[in-house]
Amino acid sequence: MPNSAPLKGRIHSVETCGTVDGPGIRFIVFMQGCLMRCLYCHNRDTWDTTEGREVTVDELMKDLLAYRHFINASGGGVTASGGEATLQKEFVTELFTACKAKGIHTCLDTNGFVRHYDQALDALLDVTDLVLLDIKHMNDEVHIPLTHVSNKYCLDFARYLAKKGKKMWIRYVVVPSWSD
């Protein structure tokens, strides 16, 4: 029986020494694809799910491990961001599993627009040390015109994470006239 091809993820880019997307110095993987259309998005070029480049976990790990000294010295790790990382749950799970095998802290940066609670999501959360949950607005009447989706999904996901006892940091961007 021939070996199956390695799983590939579609990424936009990586940041090798990020300091704002989780604790310590982070290797940040910006996943390609997002279903929200936030008016103040700073990564609009990650929205299209067909753009970016395909990579394997082995390719990313080779790059990531070159920065391990900085990651270890600072108490950092790897962060899957976006776009929206949960759109590629299986790939991020494989990446985080490889990181955990090397003792590297894992962080999922998500907008919480999760529509399917399944085994693939739970598998991802099982190998996630920290979730950065980006709440765009608490008032749904403002959230919808701001993002083009209801905040119901994000708030339901926050409850789900809390019920599972998953460590999370809430992120809230202050934008004059929208979220201030």
Side-chain angles (χ1 to χ4, degrees), residues 97-111:
T97 300
C99 289
K100 299 299 284 173
K102 298 288 188 183
I104 298 170
H105 183 271
T106 58
C107 181
L108 177 67
D109 185 0
T110 177
N111 61 31

Side-chain angles (χ1 to χ4, degrees), residues 4-136:
S4 62
L7 181 62
K8 291 187 176 183
R10 190 169 290 279
I11 68 167
H12 174 271
S13 58
V14 299
E15 183 178 338
T16 56
C17 289
T19 58
V20 297
D21 294 310
I25 294 175
R26 317 286 306 172
F27 185 92
I28 305 162
V29 180
F30 292 94
M31 305 302 296
Q32 187 70 41
C34 187
L35 302 179
M36 282 190 178
R37 297 296 182 258
C38 301
L39 296 180
Y40 61 79
C41 181
H42 70 287
N43 286 344
R44 287 177 182 240
D45 49 338
T46 65
W47 288 359
D48 190 332
T49 58
T50 64
E51 294 292 323
R53 67 180 169 102
E54 288 188 333
V55 297
T56 65
V57 167
D58 286 344
E59 291 169 331
L60 279 178
M61 288 302 292
K62 182 179 176 186
D63 289 344
L64 186 155
L65 291 174
Y67 296 91
R68 189 166 190 178
H69 174 75
F70 301 106
I71 290 169
N72 289 346
S74 68
V78 65
T79 298
S81 188
E84 176 49 46
T86 62
L87 291 178
Q88 299 184 62
K89 294 181 278 206
E90 292 82 2
F91 180 79
V92 177
T93 300
E94 189 174 307
L95 173 62
F96 282 8
T97 300
C99 289
K100 299 299 284 173
K102 298 288 188 183
I104 298 170
H105 183 271
T106 58
C107 181
L108 177 67
D109 185 0
T110 177
N111 61 31
F113 186 35
V114 174
R115 295 167 300 150
H116 303 289
Y117 294 82
D118 55 15
Q119 288 180 332
L121 177 65
D122 285 338
L124 172 56
L125 294 176
D126 286 346
V127 291
T128 300
D129 294 312
L130 173 65
V131 176
L132 302 181
L133 183 58
D134 194 13
I135 297 179
K136 309 298 183 180

